[in-house]
Amino acid sequence: TDGQVAEFKEAFSLFDREGRGYITSHEITKIVNMFGTPASKDAIDKFMMDYDDDKNGNLDFSEFLKMMSRNNVVLNELAEENIRAAFKAMDKDNSGYIEKVELLQVMRGLGEQLTEKDVEDMIKEGDLDEDGRINLEEFTIIMNSK
């Protein structure tokens, strides 16, 4: 989206402090380290091979944008995977739904002192098809709205 491109442009500017129009492999190392992955020289070299289209040893904004877009897709896939795993953990009977009793067990297991009415209200809030339980699609919407 235009908003994401603007955010990426701002991020690019933070690393391209001199306004050269590109960022170096040294600056890329800093970016990769920000994502929590220690970057070896080999990893950075491979990274540059993957994204440095013109092979000049630097990333211009279009190359940086491609890199960020791909990494954004990976992060979104990881988030979806985590949501599915959380749903599966709450769907104790593997029915494909989180029932009131399952949500109550999970919440109490987390130390929440909820009543059955509290749990009914929580389910009603996210129960788009009004069947009294939460399916994966509804759960995903709930988790993405947080």
Side-chain angles (χ1 to χ4, degrees), residues 33-59:
N33 287 337
M34 282 176 40
F35 283 108
T37 307
S40 69
K41 178 167 178 8
D42 288 344
I44 293 300
D45 289 346
K46 176 168 180 356
F47 194 83
M48 292 301 287
M49 285 177 54
D50 290 344
Y51 295 105
D52 183 15
D53 294 335
D54 57 12
K55 307 299 180 209
N56 67 356
N58 303 308
L59 294 186

Side-chain angles (χ1 to χ4, degrees), residues 12-75:
F12 182 82
S13 298
L14 291 174
F15 293 102
D16 179 24
R17 292 180 191 220
E18 288 108 43
R20 300 171 303 217
Y22 63 86
I23 50 182
T24 66
S25 61
H26 176 71
E27 292 159 331
I28 294 297
T29 302
K30 290 180 185 178
I31 295 170
V32 172
N33 287 337
M34 282 176 40
F35 283 108
T37 307
S40 69
K41 178 167 178 8
D42 288 344
I44 293 300
D45 289 346
K46 176 168 180 356
F47 194 83
M48 292 301 287
M49 285 177 54
D50 290 344
Y51 295 105
D52 183 15
D53 294 335
D54 57 12
K55 307 299 180 209
N56 67 356
N58 303 308
L59 294 186
D60 62 28
F61 181 67
S62 66
E63 294 164 334
F64 178 80
L65 187 58
K66 181 174 77 171
M67 174 195 76
M68 294 303 289
S69 296
R70 283 188 188 163
N71 284 320
N72 207 22
V73 167
V74 170
L75 293 175

Side-chain angles (χ1 to χ4, degrees), residues 72-137:
N72 207 22
V73 167
V74 170
L75 293 175
N76 287 340
E77 287 172 0
L78 287 173
E80 287 177 26
E81 206 171 290
N82 287 338
I83 289 171
R84 281 191 300 275
F87 180 85
K88 187 174 182 174
M90 295 175 82
D91 179 18
K92 302 284 187 193
D93 64 0
N94 295 313
S95 65
Y97 298 95
I98 299 172
E99 309 278 348
K100 180 176 70 172
V101 67
E102 292 168 321
L103 183 57
L104 186 59
Q105 286 175 346
V106 169
M107 298 306 288
R108 286 185 176 163
L110 293 171
E112 296 290 329
Q113 298 303 314
L114 300 176
T115 65
E116 284 190 31
K117 172 81 170 96
D118 293 331
V119 173
E120 285 174 15
D121 291 343
M122 290 173 71
I123 287 181
K124 279 182 187 173
E125 186 177 322
D127 183 17
L128 301 176
D129 62 9
E130 299 179 351
D131 65 352
R133 54 195 182 175
I134 302 295
N135 62 37
L136 178 58
E137 182 180 341

